[in-house]
Amino acid sequence: NITDSPPTADELSLKVNMNAANGVLEFKTMQDYSNGTSVTYTDGLLVNSTSNFQIKVRSLQDVLQSTSGNSIPVDVIHLPLVTASSANQQISPIVLGLANQTLAKTNSNSKNNKTYSYDIKYFTLAQDLRLINAKSDNYSTTLQYEITPQ
């Protein structure tokens, strides 16, 4: 006879908000090339979780590609997650690439359902010759976010 109820399953959900789903990092002036540029999508990533988790990201292509055939290596883009309440989380910036890279981890003893809100920030470094020498065009890639329990 089974007298206890089964353990509660961990629940995880990850949502990329519409404002961040089609992110745009623009170079409008020469200073953007000289100093680097950045864009932040406030509350771009929302997580609901009943357990510890980690968030990973990867690019599905190794280049930023334009419709006219021009390309730039995807590793010109850096990506940290930013949150106001990072007390129980490890958050490190990564350089975009094909491999899954950890963006954030939680470390909490709580089993309560919690909501986490992250700002997604994309940025480039100053004086990156790959960007300075790139042809003026619209470039894109596809990012894949993944959440797994810890």
Side-chain angles (χ1 to χ4, degrees):
N1 288 340
I2 299 176
T3 58
D4 293 336
S5 59
T8 306
D10 291 337
E11 294 181 29
L12 296 169
S13 71
L14 180 136
K15 177 184 176 188
V16 178
N17 281 333
M18 288 305 295
N19 68 336
N22 292 308
V24 176
L25 182 62
E26 294 182 294
F27 293 83
K28 296 179 181 178
T29 67
M30 284 305 295
Q31 291 161 332
D32 292 339
Y33 293 94
S34 296
N35 303 329
T37 190
S38 69
V39 63
T40 300
Y41 292 95
T42 303
D43 299 330
L45 196 64
L46 297 176
V47 172
N48 285 308
S49 175
T50 58
S51 68
N52 287 324
F53 61 87
Q54 69 177 358
I55 300 171
K56 293 185 176 185
V57 68
R58 73 183 191 104
S59 174
L60 298 182
Q61 299 86 24
D62 63 349
V63 294
L64 299 162
Q65 188 74 45
S66 75
T67 56
S68 58
N70 297 316
S71 65
I72 302 170
V74 74
D75 64 359
V76 300
I77 308 288
H78 298 252
L79 168 59
L81 291 182
V82 181
T83 179
S85 59
S86 60
N88 291 321
Q89 299 174 60
Q90 172 190 329
I91 300 178
S92 304
I94 57 102
V95 177
L96 285 180
L98 291 173
N100 263 338
Q101 298 178 70
T102 302
L103 282 173
K105 288 183 181 181
T106 57
N107 185 17
S108 171
N109 294 328
S110 174
K111 282 295 209 177
N112 297 329
N113 190 22
K114 291 189 176 183
T115 301
Y116 300 86
S117 176
Y118 297 95
D119 297 347
I120 301 173
K121 180 179 180 181
Y122 301 105
F123 70 92
T124 62
L125 299 179
Q127 298 292 323
D128 190 328
L129 290 177
R130 298 170 297 176
L131 294 168
I132 292 170
N133 295 328
K135 292 184 179 177
S136 180
D137 211 336
N138 291 320
Y139 296 86
S140 66
T141 192
T142 302
L143 301 182
Q144 180 179 52
Y145 288 89
E146 173 184 295
I147 188 168
T148 54
Q150 289 293 289

